[in-house]
Amino acid sequence: MSARGWILSDEVSSMGSISACDTATGRRYQVRYRTPGRQQTDKRGFRTKREAELYLASLELAKARGDYVPASHAGVTFGTWSERWIVSLVQVKPSTLQGYVSITRGRLNHSGDRRH
């Protein structure tokens, strides 16, 4: 027990907490933590406790360095994603490629540059 009366196990720290959950595909781990704005959030689906611990440590390091980016702001826009995807298509007929370009540009014109 610490001076403040908190009991910390190996799964709970001042950084956040890690909990296990049994699923149909096996045991998974969840990380709970606070954002720099003190809002509690979590991320689930880690296959090992070690993966969860590393994720939590990387979050704390990013917060300490001032590099933390909330998941809601980390997404790639549809426009950026579709441009990268089009460029990556190397074994596609020209007519197919033109169709993909037309579809993605039409999607951008109708909806703006949405997050993917």
Side-chain angles (χ1 to χ4, degrees), residues 44-57:
R44 301 180 292 196
F46 296 98
R47 292 178 190 237
T48 65
K49 185 176 177 182
R50 181 75 177 143
E51 285 178 11
E53 290 169 341
L54 290 172
Y55 179 78
L56 183 56

Side-chain angles (χ1 to χ4, degrees), residues 17-21 28-32 41-46 52:
S17 65
I18 298 170
S19 57
C21 178
R28 297 288 185 255
Y29 294 86
Q30 173 180 319
V31 174
R32 285 189 178 234
T41 188
D42 61 47
K43 180 164 173 64
R44 301 180 292 196
F46 296 98

Side-chain angles (χ1 to χ4, degrees), residues 90-115:
V90 290
Q91 294 184 350
V92 177
K93 291 181 183 178
S95 59
T96 302
L97 184 61
Q98 185 57 39
Y100 291 161
V101 169
S102 176
I103 290 168
T104 56
R105 287 189 181 153
R107 175 97 173 134
L108 289 173
N109 291 338
H110 290 247
S111 61
D113 200 11
R114 292 187 181 175
R115 297 256 173 214

Side-chain angles (χ1 to χ4, degrees), residues 33 35-36 55 58-59 62-63 66-75 115:
Y33 60 96
T35 65
Y55 179 78
S58 70
L59 282 174
K63 290 193 302 188
D67 296 335
Y68 176 81
V69 177
S72 60
H73 295 118
R115 297 256 173 214

